[in-house]
Structures are given as structure tokens and as C-alpha cells.
């Protein structure tokens, strides 16, 4: 699926509408800066707050900058998005503790889109029209991003999108900060399955919407180039939990490796069914583009042990920034919390948006987009840089192997960040760009 291609005008947002009070969270934070932040903002440390509404006069007096937080706290993708919500709040707390943006504190306006694309669209309209936020940090699935994109484009807004996705989108209303595209997940993992593991017959399985189908499209192209056979390409609805028939189909297909683009809590059901039917990932390897530490914890580490994942970030990344990040998040969300790629990208995106706003001297969408290109952030995963060509991110491809403790051993890693090519599925290269800041050209 292709994204918007036009050019969009941008304007600064006023700060005059009413927004709601959230419930005060039950969990108290140990860190005094975070505790003060949470008390001032009226949000729960666990991120389960209701929509935030504040009096317009109070907003002006406080000289705050409202920012939209749009991650599902309920529904099928809440398994991942709750922690993304938490990580956005943690990043905002860190920024506010250092003085905010342009001398003003950031004020999160939280909405729960409940894992429903239509609700994402409704909440995005509320945030841009009623709350007049200059930016929305939000979305996890392509379906939700596609629902929000027309809203921010029409309303001169900005979405900071964190999740890896299928590519073929080029919009000046989206800052793809920390979000991987297929060449950063598939061009390393598909050849690795053949060259390192000696596998040649791939069964692709996914949830039934744009992201898994887009990833399958690129995977098939790569397989054709390197001489791998695709013996299956099957889908079940997002949120589906009955996987017995699909697992049986995989078993009878002749596949010697599985590539999974299954999303949300369906991941838990899929992995458990594979184990229940007796499959051993050492004999029939499974590599995923989506499974993270949080889904592994939900299913039980024994169900994922030995499987592989291709993502730019794992909790086990050995950088000083990541050690500090993991420690800070556990202090913020609880000692049993785990970090994962989607939330790390949220953290990166919030900080990079703040850096771009400071550089521009303005929080308007046009100003931030104009300043974002070339900005680098020492993220937990390593250095992340916004490509001036297409507003996507240079990221380091990695492959992790699940351990018995639910963490991942990094078994393959690029030596440096890889250029983002959102249209690699149709032949885009570093020397021949399709997606540019002026729009996509096909």
C-alpha cells in the first residue's frame, strides 16, 4: 500500500482548548523528578490514564506544550502498546526534567484508541482539532497509522511513528523516527536463514492486514533473488487465537523454516500452538519480524526459546545508553518490566522530535520537519539519524535468538546503521531514491 505523496502546508498550533483530567495512578515513582512530573501531569505511571483535559486558562498560565499520546491501552495490541505509552511518558518526563522544549514543559494528552483503526482516527481528530497538539506520538500497526495519516495531513499535523513497517509510504506529515523499513529487517534476515542456517523452503505467515502482506511481498522478492522457495503465504485475522489448522498446514507444506509477521496477542497463541504440536525451533526454525520481549514474557519464555527475531533493538544490546535506559524504565514502570524494540523507538522518537523543535525554535509541524533531517540521537540501540531524503531513520539491523529467560542473544549485527529505503520492494536503492522530502516519485 502506498502512502500520501503530496506536499502539505504546516502551521503552528495554538494552545487554547479544554482538555481532561486523568486519573491519578496508583503506583508511586521513586525518582523525585518523575514523581513530580506525574503529579503535575495527572497521569498514571503505568500509562493507564484516561483522556487528559485541562482548562485553557490554566494551560496558558502554565506555558505548557500539549503533545498527543495515542497508544492502545485496551484491545488486541495493548499487549505492546501499553509499554509504548509508558515509554512516551518516561521520555517526556526526562525532557521536562531538563527544562522542557523551548523553555516550556511538555503536557501529555493521552487517548486510548482501543486497538481499533476507526477509533484511532476519531482520537487523532480530537487531539488535532480540540486539543490542538502540534504532534502526536502514536500508533503501532499500519492499520492505525493509515487511519491517522489523513487526519494529520488535512489538519497540518505531525505524527511521530515508531514501529517497523512495510514501507511504500512517503509523507511529510510523518517523522519516521526509529521506525525500521523492510530493507532494515529482511535484507539481513532472509539471506541469513539461507546462508547461516542452510534453509531453502520458507513458509510466510502473518496477521491479515497491510504490514504482514507488505513484508511478504518484499520477502518473496528477496527469496527469488537468492534461490529460496516460498512454499506458503498464509494469513489469519488480527487478534485471531485459533492456530491449530494453520500450524498443521505449515507442518504439511514441506517448509524447513518459518517467517512470521503475526502481530499482537495472536503471537502468543501462534507460538504456543507450535509448541503444543511438538515443533522444535532447532529443527524447524522460526524467524519473526514482530515478536519482542514483551510477547515472549506473555507467552512464557519456554514457548519462544530457540526462535529468531529480526529487529534493530533488543534489551540485551550492549551500549551504555541501553543500560541506562533499561534501568530507568524499570524504575519508571516496575522492576519486572522489560524493554523492547517498539517502545525503544517511541523513546527515540520523542527525544528526536524535541531535538528538532529546539533546533527549529518552533514546535509547528513545518518547522520540525524542516529541522529534522540529519539530526542524530545516541539511542539505546546505538546511533539513530534521520535521513534528510525521506524522514526515515538510519538503523542497525540485528537478529536475536530467544533464550530460556525471555531475553535474546544477538547472533548477527551490522557494523553500522543501514540507510532506510521505504520503497526497496519496487527497486529503490541508496543511489536511486523514490521517497524524497518533495514526495514519492514512481
Amino acid at each position: 500500500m502506498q502512502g500520501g505523496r503530496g506536499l502539505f502546508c504546516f502551521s503552528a498550533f495554538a494552545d487554547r482548548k479544554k482538555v481532561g483530567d486523568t486519573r491519578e495512578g496508583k503506583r508511586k515513582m521513586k525518582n523525585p523528578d518523575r514523581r513530580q512530573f506525574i503529579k503535575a501531569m495527572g497521569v498514571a505511571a503505568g500509562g493507564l490514564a484516561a483522556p487528559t483535559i485541562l482548562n485553557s486558562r490554566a494551560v496558558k498560565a502554565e506555558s505548557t506544550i500539549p503533545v498527543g499520546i495515542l497508544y492502545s491501552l485496551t484491545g488486541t495490541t495493548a499487549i505492546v502498546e501499553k509499554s509504548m505509552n509508558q515509554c512516551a511518558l518516561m521520555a517526556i518526563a526526562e525532557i521536562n526534567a531538563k527544562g522542557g522544549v523551548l523553555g516550556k514543559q511538555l503536557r501529555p494528552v493521552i487517548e486510548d484508541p482501543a486497538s481499533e483503526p476507526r477509533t484511532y482516527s476519531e482520537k487523532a481528530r480530537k487531539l488535532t482539532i480540540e486539543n490542538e497538539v502540534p504532534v502526536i506520538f502514536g500508533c503501532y500497526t499500519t492499520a492505525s497509522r493509515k487511519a491517522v495519516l489523513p487526519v494529520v495531513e488535512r489538519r497540518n499535523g505531525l505524527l511521530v511513528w515508531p514501529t517497523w513497517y512495510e514501507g511504500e509510504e512517503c509523507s511529510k506529515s510523518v517523522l519516521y523516527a526509529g521506525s525500521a523499513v523492510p530493507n532494515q529487517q529482511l535484507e539481513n534476515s532472509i539471506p541469513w536463514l539461507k546462508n547461516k542456517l542452510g534453509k531453502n523452503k520458507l513458509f510466510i505467515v502473518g496477521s491479515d492486514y497491510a504490514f504482514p502482506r507488505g513484508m511478504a511481498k518484499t520477502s518473496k522478492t528477496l527469496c527469488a533473488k537468492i534461490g529460496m522457495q516460498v512454499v506458503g503465504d498464509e494469513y489469519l485475522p488480527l487478534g485471531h487465537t485459533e492456530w491449530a489448522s494453520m500450524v498443521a498446514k505449515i507442518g504439511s507444506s514441506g517448509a524447513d523454516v518459518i517467517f512470521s509477521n503475526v502481530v499482537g496477542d495472536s503471537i502468543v497463541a501462534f507460538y504456543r500452538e507450535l509448541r503444543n504440536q511438538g515443533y522444535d525451533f532447532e529443527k524447524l526454525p522460526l524467524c519473526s519480524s514482530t515478536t519482542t520481549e514483551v510477547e515472549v514474557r506473555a507467552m512464557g519464555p519456554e514457548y519462544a526459546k530457540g526462535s529468531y527475531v529480526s529487529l534493530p533493538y533488543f534489551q540485551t544490546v550492549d551500549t551504555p545508553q541501553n543500560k541506562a535506559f533499561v534501568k530507568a524504565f524499570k524504575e519508571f514502570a516496575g522492576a519486572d518490566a522489560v524493554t523492547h524494540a517498539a517502545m525503544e523507538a517511541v523513546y527515540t522518537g520523542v527525544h528526536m522530535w524535541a531535538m528538532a523543535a529546539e533546533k527549529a525554535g518552533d514546535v509547528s509541524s513545518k518547522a520540525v520537519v524542516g529541522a529534522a533531517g540529519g539530526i542524530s540521537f545516541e539511542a539505546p540501540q546505538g546511533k539513530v539519524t534521520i535521513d534528510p531524503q525521506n524522514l526515515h531513520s538510519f538503523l542497525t539491523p540485528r537478529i536475536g535468538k530467544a533464550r530460556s529467560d525471555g531475553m535474546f542473544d544477538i547472533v548477527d549485527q551490522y557494523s553500522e546503521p543501514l540507510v532506510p529505503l521505504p520503497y526497496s520492494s519496487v527497486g529503490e536503492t541508496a543511489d536511486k531514491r523514490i521517497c524524497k522530502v518533495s514526495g514519492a516519485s514512481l
Side-chain angles (χ1 to χ4, degrees):
M1 294 180 65
Q2 297 176 4
R5 302 180 186 175
L7 296 178
F8 306 95
C9 297
F10 296 79
S11 62
F13 293 83
D15 188 12
R16 63 179 182 270
K17 293 287 183 181
K18 295 182 179 180
V19 246
D21 291 329
T22 61
R23 299 189 308 271
E24 184 177 357
K26 294 182 180 179
R27 179 176 297 167
K28 303 290 185 179
M29 304 316 303
K30 295 180 180 179
N31 184 299
D33 289 333
R34 293 194 178 100
R35 185 170 62 246
Q36 184 179 8
F37 164 78
I38 293 166
K39 182 178 179 181
M41 299 305 165
V43 298
L48 301 179
T52 304
I53 303 192
L54 298 176
N55 183 275
S56 59
R57 293 180 181 177
V59 169
K60 290 181 180 180
E62 293 168 0
S63 296
T64 59
I65 299 171
V67 294
I69 310 293
L70 192 60
Y71 298 111
S72 293
L73 307 178
T74 56
T76 186
T77 57
I79 186 174
V80 175
E81 293 191 63
K82 284 182 180 179
S83 56
M84 295 169 75
N85 179 79
Q86 289 174 309
C87 209
L89 296 177
M90 187 181 86
I92 289 170
E94 291 181 354
I95 292 166
N96 283 344
K98 295 179 180 179
V101 173
L102 302 176
K104 297 182 180 181
Q105 296 283 286
L106 301 180
R107 175 171 52 83
V109 183
I110 303 170
E111 294 289 346
D112 176 13
S115 304
E116 294 289 343
R118 178 177 295 180
T119 308
Y120 274 96
S121 179
E122 293 170 354
K123 298 296 187 180
R125 283 196 295 272
K126 176 186 177 297
L127 287 168
T128 55
I129 298 171
E130 181 178 338
N131 305 121
E132 295 188 332
V133 300
V135 62
I136 295 173
F137 302 108
C139 303
Y140 171 64
T141 66
T142 283
S144 62
R145 189 188 72 257
K146 293 293 188 184
V148 169
L149 185 58
V151 177
V152 293
E153 288 179 343
R154 285 196 301 266
R155 301 293 176 180
N156 301 322
L158 180 65
L159 171 67
V160 179
W161 159 257
T163 316
W164 51 95
Y165 81 111
E166 71 283 358
E168 296 193 16
E169 183 174 284
C170 194
S171 173
K172 286 187 71 175
S173 294
V174 182
L175 183 61
Y176 303 85
S179 121
V181 286
N183 75 300
Q184 296 168 320
Q185 280 191 277
L186 299 176
E187 290 184 8
N188 64 324
S189 58
I190 298 294
W192 187 86
L193 294 173
K194 177 179 175 63
N195 299 330
K196 184 67 175 180
L197 301 186
K199 304 303 178 181
N200 291 291
K201 295 182 179 180
L202 186 71
F203 193 107
I204 303 171
V205 60
S207 299
D208 194 6
Y209 70 101
F211 164 73
R213 290 186 177 275
M215 293 292 277
K217 173 184 175 182
T218 303
S219 296
K220 290 176 183 177
T221 300
L222 286 169
C223 285
K225 288 181 180 179
I226 64 176
M228 288 185 76
Q229 181 183 358
V230 177
V231 299
D233 180 17
E234 299 286 342
Y235 304 87
L236 287 173
L238 185 66
H240 195 77
T241 58
E242 298 296 330
W243 286 87
S245 295
M246 180 66 77
V247 170
K249 184 177 291 188
I250 293 170
S252 63
S253 69
D256 58 13
V257 62
I258 306 167
F259 200 93
S260 172
N261 300 306
V262 178
V263 173
D265 51 15
S266 294
I267 293 173
V268 174
F270 178 46
Y271 278 60
R272 285 182 173 176
E273 186 60 38
L274 282 164
R275 289 299 201 190
N276 290 341
Q277 292 194 26
Y279 287 97
D280 182 345
F281 294 142
E282 297 297 337
K283 297 178 180 178
L284 179 63
L286 167 67
C287 185
S288 171
S289 66
T290 57
T291 304
T292 73
E293 291 86 346
V294 73
E295 290 97 350
V296 171
R297 184 180 64 172
M299 73 178 73
E302 66 274 17
Y303 291 98
K305 183 182 177 182
S307 62
Y308 299 96
V309 179
S310 176
L311 285 169
Y313 173 83
F314 298 97
Q315 185 171 311
T316 50
V317 168
D318 188 15
T319 66
Q321 291 81 8
N322 188 45
K323 291 175 182 178
F325 172 67
V326 173
K327 181 176 183 293
F329 188 70
K330 287 180 177 293
E331 290 176 353
F332 189 87
D336 61 343
V338 295
T339 62
H340 56 86
M343 57 171 286
E344 189 265 354
V346 170
Y347 180 83
T348 298
V350 173
H351 277 282
M352 295 190 86
W353 173 85
M355 292 170 68
E358 287 284 356
K359 179 181 175 182
D362 189 353
V363 296
S364 70
S365 303
K366 182 177 181 180
V368 169
V369 166
I375 282 180
S376 293
F377 176 61
E378 290 298 333
Q381 66 172 269
K383 187 176 182 179
V384 175
T385 302
I386 299 296
D387 188 344
Q389 291 271 9
N390 56 30
L391 302 179
H392 288 67
S393 300
F394 282 79
L395 302 172
T396 301
R398 293 181 171 94
I399 298 173
K401 185 175 183 179
R403 306 188 315 213
S404 59
D405 64 354
M407 295 292 104
F408 289 86
D409 286 325
I410 297 172
V411 296
D412 188 76
Q413 176 176 311
Y414 276 31
S415 59
E416 60 184 19
L418 182 64
V419 59
L421 300 172
Y423 285 83
S424 63
S425 59
V426 291
E428 183 178 37
T429 66
D431 297 325
K432 187 180 179 182
R433 296 299 189 94
I434 292 175
C435 179
K436 300 180 181 179
V437 290
S438 57
S441 58
L442 293 174

